Every structure is written in C-alpha cells, then in structure tokens.
Amino acid sequence: MRSSRHPLLAAFLAALLVLAAGLGMAAAPSAAAATPVRIMPLGDSITGSPGCWRSLLWNQLQNAGYTDIDFVGTLNAQSCALTHDADNEGHGGFQATATADQNLLPGWLAATLPDIVVMHFGTNDVWSSIAPDTILAAYTKLVGQMRASNPAMKVLVAQLIPINPSSCAECAARTVAFNQRIPAWAQGITTAQSPVTVVDQWTGFDTATDTYDGVHPNASGDAKMAARWYPALSALLTPGDPGDPGDPGSGGCSAAFRAVSVWQGGYQGEVTVTNTSSTAAISSWAVTLVLPTDSRLTQAWNGTLTGTTVRNAGWNGTLTAGASTTFGFLASTSAAAGTPPMTATCSAS
C-alpha cells in the first residue's frame, strides 16, 4: 500500500506547488508598466477642428524621445496629414465662459484623467465681446476644476493667436487687450504643486499668412503654434531615451526657445538649457535647433555652433540638478518679419 499511495501523494503535492507558483506569479508581476503622461489639448475649433498643430506637436515630441505620453480627450478626429494621437478636447464654437458656467469640464476630466492641460481657449469669447474680467474668471474656475481632478495638474495657457475675421473689425484689438491680462492672472493663480505657465501664441503670428480665414490656422499657422507649445510642454516631460532624467544615475536636459528681437530677414533668439534631473548633475549638453528651410544660424554666443547644433562652452557645460544656463544666437531668414517655427531639442551627458 505504501508503494501505491506515495506516487499519488507526490503527484498531488506537485500539482499544488504548480498552482501556488502560478498564483504567486499572477499576484506579483515582475515589473510595473510605465504610466504615460496624459496630456489634454483643451479649447475650441482652433484646437479641435482639425487643430493640426496637435499632429505637428505630437510628432515633434515623439521624434525628440518624449514617447511616454498620451494625448487625451473625449474627441478624436484623424483629419491631419501626419499620423498622431488625435484625442483632444477642442470643441468647435465653444466659449471658455460657457464651458465654465455649464460645468462641462469636470466630466471631460473624469473621462480622461489628464496630468497636463494645454489650453488655447477664449477666441469665441473675445469674438462675442465678453469682458476680459469675465473670461479670466472662467479661466480661474476651469483651473480649479482641473486641480479638483488632479491636485498636481500642470497647466499651459496660451496668449491667443491673433484673429481678424471679416465680420468683426474690433476682434484684433480685443484679442490684444485680453492677452495683456493673461500673464498677471497666471502669476496670481500658479502654485508650486500646480504651476500655470503662459505660452505666447500671439507674437509673430500673422492672420494674413498664417490663417485661411482670419481666425483658423493654415499649415504655416499650425507650425508656428506647435513650435510655441513644444518648449513649454517638453519642459514638463521626461524623454524615454538613454540618459533619461528620471534615472538617478544620469542627467537629462530641456531646451526652451524664445525670440528676443525680430526684424525683416532675421531675428535674435535665446535658448534656456535646464538640467531636468532632480538628483544628478550633467557635465555637457548639446541643443539641436530645427529651422525652416529658408533659415540658417549665423552666430551664437555662450555656446559653440556647428551647423544647427549648439554645444556648451567650456564654462557652462556642468549643471547641477535643476540648474539652467542660456545661450543666444542670430538667424537669417528670407521670410517676412516674424518668428519662424522652431523646435529645440537637448541631449546631455
């Protein structure tokens, strides 16, 4: 009997061990999947119909190594030439004030759970001659709803692109007046946990050449909008390439471009290079500038220029965690006066 029962018992115990091992593996995965940063483009038809600046921005981010991202929104329309994540919250004809009054945003937030909101919203309010104080009050309510959804929400708010519709002679001036109010409003509402960053989409944008109807961007306008969003948004992200700034053993960097002065046939630019690691220093950096085909860099200072890449000078390559430095450059262009679309990508070691 002993010889006949032991094989059965052994088989039974072996089966239990296999089952237990299987349950253990299911309960404790070896590695957690990385959670992408969720980015909501929020606004009206300039953002959503079709809002092809989103496709350009998505591809610029992907090409620069910012691959752990997810554009989110309850709307999705693949109507642009470039393949991209088309999820968005750009509602044609909507006003920021009505969206706040009707409490539409909380539902969109609950459905998509963004970490960052990229907002170009208020053109229809300006068109309807709604007072800047009223629009900014709506902005405040919308930001409050964003923070109720995510206390650490990062918010990028645009100074609106110019508009000059044939049916509204005063719209251009109203846009200027409203845009002038946005920086002070943002400064008053920003917090360390939930910063509000103003992105200047107005400067260098020409309704005659950058829109097809005085309001909505054409291909040139889309490129300008994407170029303005890119440095502000990429500064909030971690690239997924080697040298990931999220890795305690290495440093990474971001590059934020701004136009210092613009004239017919050229402009002066400045790029701020920031070590995006919270723990590690970097010892060198290189910034590659992507220019339009009719532009070229002619001079750089506080860095060494080779083609379209600027590398650190001997004295400003080392940046401690979170530290920044700047370099400047001159560029020539055959285009009319105005800042051409540009992206700046940074690598560090």
Side-chain angles (χ1 to χ4, degrees):
M1 290 180 65
R2 293 176 62 184
S3 61
S4 62
R5 295 173 93 179
H6 284 182
L8 291 174
L9 179 60
F12 177 69
L13 291 175
L16 285 177
L17 289 172
V18 170
L19 178 61
L23 290 173
M25 290 176 64
S30 58
T35 302
V37 178
R38 301 170 67 83
I39 302 165
M40 173 190 282
L42 173 65
D44 47 42
S45 58
I46 292 172
T47 295
S49 305
C52 288
W53 60 261
R54 291 182 288 105
S55 68
L56 297 174
L57 179 61
W58 171 264
N59 280 274
Q60 289 171 6
L61 292 167
Q62 295 291 302
N63 293 338
Y66 298 99
T67 53
D68 292 331
I69 60 173
D70 181 14
F71 279 12
V72 298
T74 59
L75 305 177
N76 181 294
Q78 290 283 357
S79 54
C80 302
L82 290 175
T83 300
H84 65 292
D85 184 345
D87 294 335
N88 73 94
E89 216 65 72
H91 297 262
F94 278 39
Q95 297 173 339
T97 49
T99 298
D101 290 344
Q102 297 171 26
N103 292 311
L104 299 177
L105 182 59
W108 302 339
L109 293 167
T112 59
L113 301 176
D115 305 296
I116 300 171
V117 172
V118 175
M119 186 171 87
H120 186 286
F121 209 179
T123 297
N124 291 310
D125 303 79
V126 171
W127 199 334
S128 300
S129 196
I130 296 174
D133 282 345
T134 304
I135 306 173
L136 291 175
Y139 275 20
T140 298
K141 183 175 181 179
L142 294 174
V143 171
Q145 292 171 338
M146 295 173 198
R147 289 171 173 168
S149 168
N150 180 351
M153 186 76 77
K154 310 297 188 294
V155 187
L156 302 182
V157 176
Q159 287 177 292
L160 304 176
I161 63 171
I163 61 170
N164 189 25
S166 58
S167 60
C168 181
E170 298 178 354
C171 277
R174 289 179 199 157
T175 305
V176 173
F178 177 61
N179 280 341
Q180 290 174 342
R181 298 283 302 280
I182 293 176
W185 165 83
Q187 185 177 7
I189 199 172
T190 194
T191 67
Q193 184 181 21
S194 175
V196 177
T197 302
V198 178
V199 177
D200 181 5
Q201 290 286 357
W202 189 88
T203 302
F205 196 102
D206 187 344
T207 56
T209 59
D210 297 325
T211 73
Y212 59 83
D213 59 359
V215 178
H216 298 91
N218 57 19
S220 172
D222 286 329
K224 287 185 176 182
M225 290 192 71
R228 289 300 179 90
W229 285 125
Y230 177 84
L233 182 54
S234 63
L236 303 178
L237 303 173
T238 298
D241 288 341
D244 183 341
D247 177 0
S250 63
C253 60
S254 65
F257 162 76
R258 76 178 184 95
V260 177
S261 181
V262 181
W263 56 89
Q264 186 77 26
Y267 59 97
Q268 176 184 336
E270 181 181 87
V271 174
T272 299
V273 178
T274 302
N275 179 355
T276 54
S277 173
S278 60
T279 58
I282 60 175
S283 58
S284 65
W285 50 262
V287 173
T288 299
L289 301 171
V290 181
L291 304 168
T293 55
D294 62 349
S295 299
R296 66 183 183 90
L297 299 177
T298 59
Q299 182 182 348
W301 52 93
N302 297 340
T304 302
L305 175 62
T306 305
T308 59
T309 297
V310 178
R311 292 178 171 81
N312 60 273
W315 52 270
N316 64 356
T318 299
L319 297 175
T320 58
S324 299
T325 189
T326 62
F327 69 85
F329 65 88
L330 297 178
S332 65
T333 176
S334 61
T339 306
M342 170 181 290
T343 60
T345 59
C346 188
S347 60
S349 61

